[in-house]
Amino acid sequence: MSDIVEKTLTALPGLFLQNQSVSGPAAAKASFSSRLGGLVRGITALTSKHEEEKLIQQELNNLKATVSAPTTTLKMMKECMVRLIYCEMLGYDASFGYIHAIKLAQQGNLLEKRVGYLAVSLFLHESHELLLLLVNTVVKDLQSTNLVEVCMALTIVSQIFPREMIPAVLPLIEDKLQHSKEIIRRKAVLALYKFYLIAPNQVQHIHIKFRKALCDRDVGVMAASLHIYLRMIKENSSAYKDLTGSFVTILKQVVGGKLPVDFNYHSVPAPWLQIQLLRILGLLGKDDQRTSELMYDVLDESLRRAELNHNVTYAILFECVHTVYSVYPKSELLEKAAKCIGRFVLSPKINLKYLGLKALTYVIQQDPTLALQHQMTIIECLDHPDPIIKREVLGEYSYLLDKETPEEVITKLYKLLRSDSISSETKAWIIAAVTKLTPQAHSSNIVERLIQEFTTSLDTCLRQHAFELKHLHENVKFMKGLLPVDKSCEDMVVDASLSFLDGFVAEELSQGAAPYKPHHQRQEEKLSQGKVLSFEPYGLSFSSSGFSGRQSPAGISLGSDISGNSTETGLKETNSLKLEGIKKLWGKEGYLPKKESKTGDETEALPVPQENIIMENVDQIITKNDQSQALTQSKEEKEKQLLASSLFVGLGSESTISLLGKADTLSHKFRRKSKVKETKSGQTTTAENVTRSSFSSSSNVTYEEDYYLDNFQDRGDKEIKKFSLNSELLDSESLTELPLIEKISNCRLSTPSLFAVNNMEVFHPPQSTAASVANEISLASSLLEETTEHMHSDLMEVCHNETISVSSYKIWKDECLLMVWSVFNKSASELKSANLEIAPAENFKITEQPGCCLPVIEAESTRNFQYSVQMEKPFTEGNLSGFINYQVMDTHSVQLEFSVNLSLLDFIRPLKISTEDFGKLWLSFANDVKQNVKMSESQAALPSTLKALQQELRLHVVDIIGNEGLLACQLLPSIPCLLHFRVHGDMLALWFRSSCSTLPDYLLYQCQKIIFHYRLLQDIEYNSLWYTLPF
Amino acid sequence: MIQAILVFNNHGKPRLVRFYQRFPEEIQQQIIRETFHLVLKRDDNICNFLEGGSLIGGSDYKLIYRHYATLYFVFCVDSSESELGILDLIQVFVETLDKCFENVCELDLIFHMDKVHYILQEVVMGGMVLETNMNEIVAQIEAQNRLEKSEGGLSAAPARAVSAVKNINLPEMPRNINIGDLNIKVPNLSQFV
């Protein structure tokens, strides 16, 4: 085979020359020396998939060698990257190049950076661990003075960005909304929209900025902001009713031709903008007469103005008709719109016909008589060659019954069925239509004849439809219920995921049935066994009848959808069964319904308990620090313990740790008021507690912030109204408001990330409390002696229902990570056969620790499950999921799923070595990373920085020499990483070395994060003083 | 929102693949394959929309495609996009390619895959339509091309080139519109064109 490839390759230049003479200048432009060209030429000359695979594999091997060679320059790397993109596009795995793509984006000059960013955005996905390494580059480029760099950074942000790192770039992007270049403003708006999509909570506070973007002096920026508004109004139209006037005004100006001519597209003013605005108006005016009245004029004008000279005018017209029919109806407009539809359905252009038919469904829903004028056209469409059109037509047909009785229609359709001129596919559609009509018909002679005739049809699809009709026909009452007359216009919602079978599947699985395997997997397995015939030639074919059967609009092909389960269609459709496209409910392991949705819920739900824990901690700290408050505080403490003990009888009144999460939610309601005072005193505590007191202020801020933010929102709204009269004013006056808003947003966005840092802080409570807490735990369970010896995280609730609550915490043991899940039985009855299982995860080795094995959890007591986790492959963030099931009394078993996030930090331990060993190790490591980080002034002191790093990253301080420090840590089980750092001025030079190539990058990122947060904390502390001022 | 943009030739060979929603690699390939089979068997005289498939996202999504000589341009969009609007957007994209490559053909897409991506990035950003004005798009691309040229001289005269890069100005046309004020300032565009 390699001979053939070789021959082909040698023949290539000749082939290419031929090509060139045919295709002229375009091919000539591609330089001969270009290696991509060579690759492409090679591929195009190949004839079989197998040869292609071989060639690409060879190419990838070459590339792999090139990219990892130290002599490869960035310029060569850029070229390699383009080839890698090409290979990936063809579906080959080029994952070895991902890290190099990131490096290229980090280190290259503008052009190389552009390729690097492009490659990253094509290769990676939002939750890819490597993406975190890009965050710093993006931050840097956003601050660049070069517009092209800023544009590139904004583009990558809007395409792919890790959700948890949004706070790092959000303020920078918000600044870009004030940028002098409109293209930057516009891209910034879209980047913010992206954030709104992936993390709506984080951009909540900048709604006011969206409004400013809407009033931007540049139309492009305004148009970009409409994306955001369309989305937000879709979600909650009532909150934006006040903007209706603005949207109407904009549309009026656009329709009236007030825009500069360079917005015209085929002499239609800004068509896409018009479409967008019409959609927004349609959403705003839905079921709202008052709002709708505002827009009647402009809709009328749009309908009138649309001169049908270009395709895109139809686009506007269609949107307009849609809007007219979705807002509160006005008969005059409805009629005009219905007339417009005539232009669609009568058009010879097939696309317009299709949309016209679609628009007719809107009309029929409002008023069938308006559609009658088009009836003849619809019937004509039946003979159209496009199956999709036919489908639409038949869908409509059954509702145009005003003049004719159902019998007549059925007779007509029956005649149509018997004619030979139409395809069997259309016939299937017609039978479906007949099925729908039958319950309304009184006599059923024709139907019976039809059934008789077609149940013996040779076409399986027709036969199937006929059988369906037959069975339905035998049970008329059921049929009427199934196909109600009045509801026939509504689309039926078909549960494509077949979720109603979930219970059945779960039951079968639990009884040992083999999990379902998708078709291609079965095929693969069969092939690998090598015993069966190859189905290759048929694998790709798509039987047209099978396709139409499944693609049918839910409305009319109900019958076929139901029978989708029957073996008959099952057999017929296996070839084109496309399970992947549907929501991913079935994985290789079988059924996986809740895991995915769970992760979504989790992230939503997490901040709350975390916040509680932190506030609790803050409270404790304040108790410690503030002597004057001690008395009242202890009273409250007692009160709380009382409360808690009444909740957790089995635990004894002093077991605090598992209460942290629980009792806190109850108690902090009572405590909120007193807290403001406490915080103030907290702020005046000694320098040692700087970070802690600032926690309290920051959590404090979250309460007050909302209030101020609301205020701003209100003010902002008023401002906008005012300024829409005079836009010049907006700029000048809002400038004074701006710093305030920004400061608020700063705080808001930083709070969630603060918690992340807090989490680490939390495991260093003052020694006495840590010990006592630990003792109490060990009272509750003898298993947890480790907690006293090792650092551990706070208890965090991972899932709960009315009977149980599952919390978890991490214990960072020297040799592994110990995860403890404690299950608390809230109910008064005992739980039987309780079992907690952790799903095997790719990167981890999980071993269950022996514990008490009784599968019974007594009423109001806690059981702990322990698992030791070891890392098998380095990663940055991982997820551990599992479930708990149990039985209450003798009822059926209940299953509850949960998941916990693990980060690489969980597996980092101090490495205790001497300065000499450090020196030796330092020289032996090949991978190093250097970076300068700016610090705030107060942080500049070496000891405090060291302490922060030591505590939060668990680095071991080997030595301190002057203004230089040596630190060491190891990634479990035994990958060492060394850090050398030096302070000069307010700069901190970090230098990492390790035997692992990715570890230094990751640690650098973590260090920066800590230093960054540290800086933020101090900013917030400063700001929070400002917040307490009344204004 | 646009979920994916696929360009493949009459034989189903992908020429440009851009997903705005995450799919695993093998699913991506499957989507390309199946989309190809769906559009391939459609005549040129039937409509350019495909709806209700199970390919991406389910019934809320539709495929809108255009067939140019040897290439199919397929956009997969959700219900918030207008069919005809997207159809014209494809036209804008192709016309822009044509302007940038001078008589664009399939080979341009193959040999300048990266450039095609840059052009696309100026039209659609993160699944949202960014710019539909062809002149604007071309202006952006030309600004980037100037960058490329100055890059060529970078090794020869670093200082000069660096300052050239730094001074690159993206063309900006004052295009004003006010919400409350019906008086729209229409600038004299002749000086910019």
Side-chain angles (χ1 to χ4, degrees), chain A residues 298-531:
Chain A
V298 74
L299 289 177
D300 189 36
E301 201 177 339
S302 292
L303 283 177
R304 210 155 31 80
R305 283 253 188 180
E307 293 157 29
L308 297 171
N309 50 4
H310 190 267
N311 188 25
V312 83
T313 343
Y314 282 99
I316 298 172
L317 206 55
F318 177 77
E319 224 42 70
C320 206
V321 170
H322 187 197
T323 306
V324 166
Y325 277 96
S326 33
V327 302
Y328 190 86
K330 187 189 181 196
S331 57
E332 191 188 323
L333 271 178
L334 293 182
E335 255 169 66
K336 276 186 188 171
K339 257 183 210 148
C340 275
I341 295 174
R343 300 190 196 172
F344 282 89
V345 283
L346 291 175
S347 162
K349 284 182 186 159
I350 190 73
N351 285 337
L352 301 182
K353 231 184 192 70
Y354 169 74
L355 287 178
L357 291 170
K358 217 174 156 187
L360 268 181
T361 46
Y362 310 142
V363 179
I364 292 168
Q365 278 169 34
Q366 283 279 352
D367 183 1
T369 49
L370 282 174
L372 279 179
Q373 50 184 325
H374 302 304
Q375 195 175 12
M376 270 325 287
T377 333
I378 296 174
I379 295 172
E380 277 163 26
C381 287
L382 259 184
D383 289 330
H384 203 276
D386 191 338
I388 293 186
I389 294 247
K390 276 185 225 160
R391 191 174 84 187
E392 284 289 327
V393 169
L394 288 167
E396 322 254 321
Y397 200 82
S398 34
Y399 311 120
L400 292 172
L401 295 172
D402 273 32
K403 283 183 195 155
E404 305 171 62
T405 62
E407 284 83 0
E408 279 171 42
V409 180
I410 293 179
T411 317
K412 263 190 194 172
L413 289 174
Y414 177 61
K415 271 182 199 152
L416 215 59
L417 267 177
R418 300 199 60 184
S419 75
D420 293 330
S421 61
I422 53 172
S423 68
S424 63
E425 202 182 326
T426 317
K427 283 184 185 171
W429 285 108
I430 294 176
I431 297 191
V434 172
T435 313
K436 257 183 133 179
L437 284 172
T438 316
Q440 296 165 52
H442 301 293
S443 77
S444 50
N445 289 340
I446 302 168
V447 180
E448 271 158 20
R449 219 163 54 204
L450 187 142
I451 292 172
Q452 216 168 18
E453 202 167 311
F454 284 95
T455 42
T456 55
S457 163
L458 281 178
D459 188 309
T460 41
C461 196
L462 277 184
R463 208 163 59 220
Q464 187 208 331
H465 277 288
F467 269 115
E468 279 162 26
L469 180 56
K470 188 180 168 194
H471 286 295
L472 284 172
H473 194 63
E474 280 163 7
N475 189 349
V476 179
K477 201 177 166 193
F478 173 64
M479 189 169 186
K480 280 190 175 157
L482 201 62
L483 305 164
V485 183
D486 49 335
K487 285 197 178 146
S488 45
C489 279
E490 292 165 17
D491 279 338
M492 298 260 182
V493 181
V494 176
D495 190 351
S497 59
L498 302 179
S499 60
F500 50 88
L501 291 174
D502 289 355
F504 175 74
V505 173
E507 201 176 301
E508 288 296 309
L509 280 176
S510 66
Q511 284 174 10
Y516 175 76
K517 288 172 187 162
H519 171 68
H520 63 87
Q521 197 189 340
R522 273 175 293 167
Q523 196 87 319
E524 271 168 26
E525 282 176 10
K526 274 187 199 165
L527 282 176
S528 63
Q529 285 168 2
K531 282 176 195 161

Side-chain angles (χ1 to χ4, degrees), chain A residues 109 114 186 262 354 358, chain B residues 51 83 131 133 144 151 180:
Chain A
N109 62 28
R114 187 169 66 158
R186 195 193 300 190
D262 62 338
Y354 169 74
K358 217 174 156 187
Chain B
E51 254 178 279
E83 285 97 342
E131 178 64 77
N133 183 346
Q144 290 184 15
E151 192 77 23

Side-chain angles (χ1 to χ4, degrees), chain A residues 189-330:
Chain A
V189 169
L190 286 186
L192 288 178
Y193 175 60
K194 179 74 177 182
F195 289 168
Y196 178 78
L197 287 181
I198 59 175
N201 297 333
Q202 306 214 30
V203 285
Q204 248 168 10
H205 62 288
I206 53 170
H207 278 219
I208 192 164
K209 301 212 166 177
F210 290 160
R211 289 195 179 220
K212 266 197 83 179
L214 183 66
C215 316
D216 198 280
R217 61 183 183 277
D218 183 85
V219 181
V221 183
M222 185 269 288
S225 76
L226 292 184
H227 286 291
I228 301 175
Y229 278 101
L230 182 61
R231 175 80 178 203
M232 295 195 295
I233 290 171
K234 209 181 225 169
E235 280 163 8
N236 173 20
S237 66
S238 57
Y240 301 93
K241 298 272 186 199
D242 59 319
L243 286 174
T244 314
S246 311
F247 292 126
V248 168
T249 321
I250 298 172
L251 185 59
K252 256 190 194 139
Q253 292 177 70
V254 177
V255 173
K258 299 265 165 55
L259 287 187
V261 280
D262 62 338
F263 280 99
N264 285 7
Y265 175 76
H266 291 270
S267 71
V268 182
W272 287 278
L273 182 58
Q274 289 194 43
I275 293 172
Q276 198 89 326
L277 284 165
L278 284 166
R279 291 213 157 202
I280 289 178
L281 290 183
L283 290 171
L284 282 172
K286 197 168 189 185
D287 307 322
D288 183 345
Q289 189 175 1
R290 255 191 41 210
T291 315
S292 298
E293 272 164 4
L294 294 172
M295 51 186 89
Y296 288 148
D297 276 350
V298 74
L299 289 177
D300 189 36
E301 201 177 339
S302 292
L303 283 177
R304 210 155 31 80
R305 283 253 188 180
E307 293 157 29
L308 297 171
N309 50 4
H310 190 267
N311 188 25
V312 83
T313 343
Y314 282 99
I316 298 172
L317 206 55
F318 177 77
E319 224 42 70
C320 206
V321 170
H322 187 197
T323 306
V324 166
Y325 277 96
S326 33
V327 302
Y328 190 86
K330 187 189 181 196

Side-chain angles (χ1 to χ4, degrees), chain A residues 29 40 52 109 114 121 182 186 217 227 249 253 262 265 272 279 351 354 358 386 578 581 724, chain B residues 13 18 34 47-48 51 54 79 83 85 88 101 110 131 133 144 151 172 175 178-180 184:
Chain A
K29 269 187 283 172
V40 173
E52 180 191 296
N109 62 28
R114 187 169 66 158
S121 76
E182 61 98 1
R186 195 193 300 190
R217 61 183 183 277
H227 286 291
T249 321
Q253 292 177 70
D262 62 338
Y265 175 76
W272 287 278
R279 291 213 157 202
N351 285 337
Y354 169 74
K358 217 174 156 187
D386 191 338
K578 295 161 217 152
S724 56
Chain B
K13 281 258 175 252
R18 168 56 100 180
E34 290 185 10
C47 76
N48 298 29
E51 254 178 279
S54 56
S79 60
E83 285 97 342
D88 270 279
F101 288 112
I110 305 171
E131 178 64 77
N133 183 346
Q144 290 184 15
E151 192 77 23
E172 189 189 30
R175 304 180 298 175
N178 297 332
I179 286 184
I184 294 206

